Amino acid sequence: MKQFISAYDVGDIDALVQQALHYKAHPMADASLGTGKRIGLLFLNPSLRTRLSTQLAARNLGMEPIVFNMGSEGWQIELEDGAVMNGSSIEHIKDAAPVLGSYFDILCVRTFPSLTDREADYSEPLLSKLIRYAGVPVVSLESATLHPLQSLADVVTISEAFREARRPKVVLTWAPHIKPIPQCVANSFAQWMGVWGGADFVITHPEGYDLAPQFAGSAPIIHNQQEALEGADFVYVKNWSSYKDYGKLLSTDPSWMLTQQSLQPSNNARVMHCLPVRRNVELSDEVLDGPHSIVTQQAANRLCSAQAVLAEILKGGTS
Ligand code: CP
């Protein structure tokens, strides 16, 4: 694997899932694979799970992780080719990226969308230029449009939790939030469901919340949440702001919050959320604290998933 920014960077998702589950059972199985190698984690936005699980994953492989809170401790990076840098940017990405590439064997970065300029956000300017100029493998720790480490952990969690000899029905449901949230987790989950192909996947959201077509793919869209949840084995709860009316909060309808009552039509569904979650806005306490919730398992699987990705990059493998 040369980079990890989307589902299309993975040759065989099922093999990568099995590798992650192997590392979950045997975290130190490849403890010297990354000996002498360094991994840089650049954060332009805060993180709890991604930041900690990726560092732990690197350590399990013998790598030295170094975190740089670029958003709060770094200076503004210029991304425009040919820019006359007489404004607020201090350093051009063409200069910074090769330096970072000379310090690290793998570079990881978390970026965030503006939610005001769709075209700019969806062109992933920082991520794409880091890939172009760093000269080392780049791993997305969440970008403007996708969150592949989260999505791999989501597929690992579904694969681990579902032991029946049939395909599970997986529903991604929009949930209310108090402020506009990026589309990346929902985009990414939809993309991975489509590329993985191991589930019958349905998306439900209010009118106006269609995901970008390149990520939603051919998944059925149902605007009635109760209808969508009929027979569901897994319900993935997530808010996202509008893609069409870009970055806008079009609805805060509390009836979309997932409750024990709204789970009734499901097949005793297990409930997922990437966290952090707004309790009693997106998901009710009774669901989060009840037997249906697998959110902690899902977050725990971030570690073995990141370890599988880093190991594939270190090995230069294709799964
Ligand atoms: N789900 C997720 O990416 O969590 P963090 O923002 O805490 O990393």
Side-chain angles (χ1 to χ4, degrees):
M1 195 188 291
K2 304 290 179 228
Q3 62 178 25
F4 186 72
I5 60 168
S6 93
Y8 293 103
D9 293 314
V10 183
D12 182 341
I13 290 179
D14 277 319
L16 194 61
V17 166
Q18 290 312 312
Q19 185 61 38
L21 290 170
H22 172 69
Y23 283 136
K24 186 170 183 175
H26 308 284
M28 307 312 288
D30 285 322
S32 56
L33 184 64
T35 301
K37 302 212 182 271
R38 290 183 296 261
I39 179 169
L41 287 81
L42 315 177
F43 283 91
L44 284 97
N45 287 92
S47 162
L48 188 157
R49 280 146 288 273
T50 309
R51 177 182 173 132
L52 297 175
S53 62
T54 310
Q55 287 182 82
L56 291 168
R59 287 188 193 282
N60 284 354
L61 296 167
M63 300 189 84
E64 183 183 0
I66 294 178
V67 173
F68 177 28
N69 293 313
M70 210 168 159
S72 56
E73 295 165 10
W75 46 59
Q76 191 169 327
I77 298 289
E78 179 62 55
L79 301 174
E80 289 293 326
D81 287 336
V84 177
M85 289 176 57
N86 58 1
S88 51
S89 324
I90 305 289
E91 184 167 7
H92 203 283
I93 189 73
K94 281 184 183 176
D95 301 314
V99 174
L100 292 165
S102 75
Y103 295 158
F104 296 108
D105 300 282
I106 300 176
L107 267 177
C108 308
V109 65
R110 167 170 282 198
T111 64
F112 206 70
S114 66
L115 292 181
T116 56
D117 183 338
R118 187 173 87 177
E119 196 181 339
D121 286 348
Y122 273 64
S123 72
E124 299 278 17
L126 178 58
L127 183 63
S128 60
K129 288 190 169 148
L130 195 64
I131 291 167
R132 190 189 309 168
Y133 296 119
V136 294
V138 171
V139 172
S140 167
L141 300 171
E142 182 177 338
S143 71
T145 61
L146 293 170
H147 195 351
L149 284 172
Q150 178 65 55
S151 303
L152 173 58
D154 299 337
V155 177
V156 167
T157 305
I158 291 168
S159 302
E160 184 181 40
F162 194 74
R163 311 307 304 176
E164 296 181 37
R166 63 175 176 86
R167 292 157 63 84
K169 177 176 177 181
V170 177
V171 179
L172 171 65
T173 180
W174 181 91
H177 205 284
I178 60 162
K179 62 178 187 179
I181 296 291
Q183 296 104 32
C184 59
V185 170
N187 282 343
S188 193
F189 187 66
Q191 183 197 58
W192 278 70
M193 284 292 108
V195 176
W196 177 47
D200 294 329
F201 180 55
V202 172
I203 305 174
T204 181
H205 56 70
E207 299 276 356
Y209 279 98
D210 295 80
L211 295 171
Q214 66 268 36
F215 300 125
S218 57
I221 313 295
I222 300 175
H223 294 301
N224 181 320
Q225 189 191 51
Q226 288 293 280
E227 187 187 325
L229 293 181
E230 187 72 44
D233 299 295
F234 294 87
V235 183
Y236 198 121
V237 182
K238 186 71 187 87
N239 171 267
W240 62 89
S241 57
S242 175
Y243 171 74
K244 188 162 171 254
D245 200 356
Y246 191 61
K248 294 290 187 305
L249 190 73
L250 303 180
S251 168
T252 53
D253 181 354
S255 72
W256 279 83
M257 177 175 78
L258 197 81
T259 63
Q260 205 63 42
Q261 179 64 32
S262 53
L263 273 175
Q264 285 298 325
S266 78
N267 182 29
N268 222 13
R270 277 148 287 191
V271 176
M272 303 173 69
H273 188 289
C274 63
L275 302 178
V277 63
R278 294 271 181 166
R279 279 178 173 256
N280 302 309
V281 176
E282 294 176 85
L283 258 165
S284 69
D285 274 343
E286 59 178 349
V287 174
L288 274 166
D289 298 333
H292 290 276
S293 172
I294 54 171
V295 299
T296 305
Q297 178 183 346
Q298 184 184 357
N301 284 338
R302 293 292 308 274
L303 200 168
C304 63
S305 302
Q307 191 169 340
V309 168
L310 298 183
E312 276 307 307
I313 291 174
L314 288 169
K315 290 177 197 161
T318 55
S319 63

